[in-house]
Amino acid sequence: MDAQQLIALDNAHVWHPYSAIGADLPIFPVVSANGVRLKLADGRELIDGMSSWWSAIHGYNHPVMNRALQAQMEKMSHVMFGGLTHEPAVKLATRLIELTPAPLQAVFFSDSGSVAVEVAMKMAIQYWHAKGQSSKQRFLTLRNGYHGDTFGAMSVCDPVTGMHSLFSDVLTKQYFVDTPTCRFGEACSDDDIAPLKQMLEQSGNNIAAVILEPIVQATGGMNFYSADYLRRVRELCDEFGVLLICDEIATGFGRTGKMFACEHAGISPDIMCVGKALTGGYLTLAATLTTHEVSSTISSGEPGLFMHGPTFMANPLACSAALASLELLTNSDWQPNIERISVGLGQGLAPSRELDSVADVRVLGAIGVIELKRSIEMKTIQPMFVEHGVWARPFGRLIYLMPPYVTSDEDLELLTAAVNRVASKIE
Ligand SMILES: *Cc1c(COP(=O)(O)O)cnc(C)c1O
């Protein structure tokens, strides 16, 4: 199929994320990807600034990852997980328990981040049900959050910017407090935490858990907030008898400079969701981890089982990819490497600070953000990046980079220089 044909058929029949059929928006066929470069059908090569939405942390077509998947494929690609178990799943669960904060002891595998969030919410509700507190079925969360596109997850996304307002009548009404205004690196005052505290005081009896993205609110605005705030949320959850769910789907596996973002605050949640970078971007897999306290309470209460079980739960290929990815990560000097990328992004994006169109430039770990004063049209800006040899996908007022961890200093310079050039053309 030639590229023109492919684009025409795609446009006529294939949905993309948050897309329209027949809208004729620019779309770029990719034929292969290697290291940090995507190769387009027309022969152009783009430096990847997105890690395919936070996931491809080791870049593409990695020999170690490829070998791990080939080896697993020779044994079995999939078996059902009801009544059967296998080494990739058990090894991965054990590895995740080692890597995450100590009290997390039980792992539920699912296929995507959104489902991992559904599972987390069901765990919290079942926990309180098992303890005879069935009124605790609602969730408290922060505005500007994003937790996925399924119905439970949508209910805790920002009700306005969360892209789901048209469903508001069918979504469960949850409790929201404003985004913390204390930024990363700053302390959190009593005033900053007061709205959350007040909500717990008033409605704690109905609240099963606080759910939030620790430190980085990603899709909802690339907002980096105070670790002190997160620490105080943990304290308040304990004080008011509410569980804490940390959605580490975007932040997990080193992206913010710590293995998990909750480590910036030195806290651990009762339930943690991971996804995105879990398999190094090779296959779709997510996990929900919880404490012995939560898992044993659910198991000893009514109905004695956790009520969820996906068909492709703990897919062996996906688990093998995750094991290989975690081995690559933990055997590398990942922390100094993230610091190197952080410095590269900071220096590289600094010229954009001078632009009239730019409101803020901020960097945390391997995340670089240019916040513009006005929203940009994807339709015009996306091809501009491609013309400059870069793959970035801005949204709203945000241009952001989260490159693969294997990005060299030279490629970081090329990447940030291209972003500065594109930003300079925005009015
Ligand atoms: C991407 C994301 C999700 C949803 O994950 P999917 O795999 O797209 O379903 C949930 N929470 C956060 C924080 C995310 O960044």
Side-chain angles (χ1 to χ4, degrees), residues 288-358:
T288 309
L289 289 95
T290 193
T291 59
H292 179 70
E293 158 70 11
V294 170
S295 66
S296 63
T297 303
I298 289 173
S299 306
S300 60
E302 251 321 288
L305 309 167
F306 180 57
M307 305 307 273
H308 206 96
T311 304
F312 285 99
M313 189 170 187
N315 171 262
L317 277 181
C319 289
S320 300
L323 278 167
S325 173
L326 291 179
E327 194 152 308
L328 277 174
L329 182 63
T330 54
N331 287 344
S332 71
D333 274 336
W334 63 270
Q335 217 156 10
N337 186 42
I338 298 294
E339 182 54 29
R340 173 187 68 84
I341 296 171
S342 201
V343 169
L345 287 171
Q347 287 172 351
L349 296 177
S352 279
R353 282 183 200 280
E354 313 303 323
L355 299 172
D356 285 341
S357 57
V358 170

Side-chain angles (χ1 to χ4, degrees), residues 54 112-115 117 146-149 213 218-219 247 249-250 276:
W54 316 80
S112 74
S114 300
V115 176
V117 168
Y146 177 78
H147 297 285
D149 291 348
E213 295 159 277
T219 311
D247 178 350
I249 291 167
K276 289 199 162 95

Side-chain angles (χ1 to χ4, degrees), residues 45-365:
E45 282 199 332
L46 307 180
I47 303 178
D48 177 31
M50 296 296 293
S51 302
S52 285
W53 276 332
W54 316 80
S55 67
I57 53 177
H58 310 296
Y60 302 88
N61 203 15
H62 195 290
V64 173
M65 298 288 301
N66 291 2
R67 273 200 301 277
L69 278 162
Q70 276 152 6
Q72 182 55 43
M73 211 182 298
E74 307 277 309
K75 294 179 196 153
M76 61 186 168
S77 294
H78 184 63
V79 288
M80 64 187 281
F81 210 51
L84 296 173
T85 192
H86 47 77
E87 199 171 286
V90 176
K91 270 193 173 167
L92 178 58
T94 316
R95 197 74 190 102
L96 286 172
I97 288 166
E98 283 167 5
L99 287 174
T100 52
L104 300 170
Q105 292 291 323
V107 183
F108 191 102
F109 289 114
S110 57
D111 321 324
S112 74
S114 300
V115 176
V117 168
E118 300 286 328
V119 165
M121 294 171 77
K122 286 172 75 171
M123 275 180 186
I125 291 173
Q126 267 201 248
Y127 171 77
W128 291 113
H129 178 78
K131 285 177 88 80
Q133 297 198 51
S134 299
S135 70
K136 289 167 85 71
Q137 300 215 347
R138 296 292 161 94
F139 294 85
L140 170 56
T141 188
L142 309 179
R143 287 188 194 277
N144 291 318
Y146 177 78
H147 297 285
D149 291 348
T150 51
F151 274 84
M154 275 200 290
S155 75
V156 287
C157 290
D158 187 280
V160 182
T161 66
M163 312 182 264
H164 306 308
S165 50
L166 109 102
F167 301 104
S168 59
D169 284 351
V170 285
L171 292 177
T172 308
K173 296 279 177 285
Q174 310 289 16
Y175 298 95
F176 290 88
V177 292
D178 282 343
T179 307
T181 46
C182 39
R183 304 183 116 204
F184 187 77
E186 294 175 4
C188 161
S189 69
D190 289 346
D191 284 350
D192 292 323
I193 199 74
L196 191 121
K197 185 172 183 186
Q198 201 176 16
M199 203 68 98
L200 286 170
E201 272 165 359
Q202 281 168 5
S203 306
N205 289 341
N206 300 323
I207 295 173
V210 169
I211 178 169
L212 48 73
E213 295 159 277
I215 306 298
V216 178
Q217 291 190 298
T219 311
M222 305 301 286
N223 172 35
F224 308 155
Y225 67 87
S226 163
D228 199 23
Y229 181 92
L230 181 57
R231 201 153 35 233
R232 297 184 73 163
V233 174
R234 172 73 275 184
E235 285 166 13
L236 289 170
C237 285
D238 291 340
E239 186 181 336
F240 289 95
V242 161
L243 297 177
L244 176 61
I245 301 172
C246 281
D247 178 350
E248 293 260 9
I249 291 167
T251 48
F253 308 109
R255 180 58 68 177
T256 68
K258 301 277 187 191
M259 187 57 88
F260 297 98
C262 63
E263 294 170 27
H264 287 287
I267 61 124
S268 64
D270 301 287
I271 301 175
M272 182 191 280
C273 303
V274 295
K276 289 199 162 95
L278 175 58
T279 65
Y282 264 63
L283 284 162
T284 176
L285 182 71
T288 309
L289 289 95
T290 193
T291 59
H292 179 70
E293 158 70 11
V294 170
S295 66
S296 63
T297 303
I298 289 173
S299 306
S300 60
E302 251 321 288
L305 309 167
F306 180 57
M307 305 307 273
H308 206 96
T311 304
F312 285 99
M313 189 170 187
N315 171 262
L317 277 181
C319 289
S320 300
L323 278 167
S325 173
L326 291 179
E327 194 152 308
L328 277 174
L329 182 63
T330 54
N331 287 344
S332 71
D333 274 336
W334 63 270
Q335 217 156 10
N337 186 42
I338 298 294
E339 182 54 29
R340 173 187 68 84
I341 296 171
S342 201
V343 169
L345 287 171
Q347 287 172 351
L349 296 177
S352 279
R353 282 183 200 280
E354 313 303 323
L355 299 172
D356 285 341
S357 57
V358 170
D360 187 34
V361 176
R362 53 184 177 270
V363 173
L364 176 64

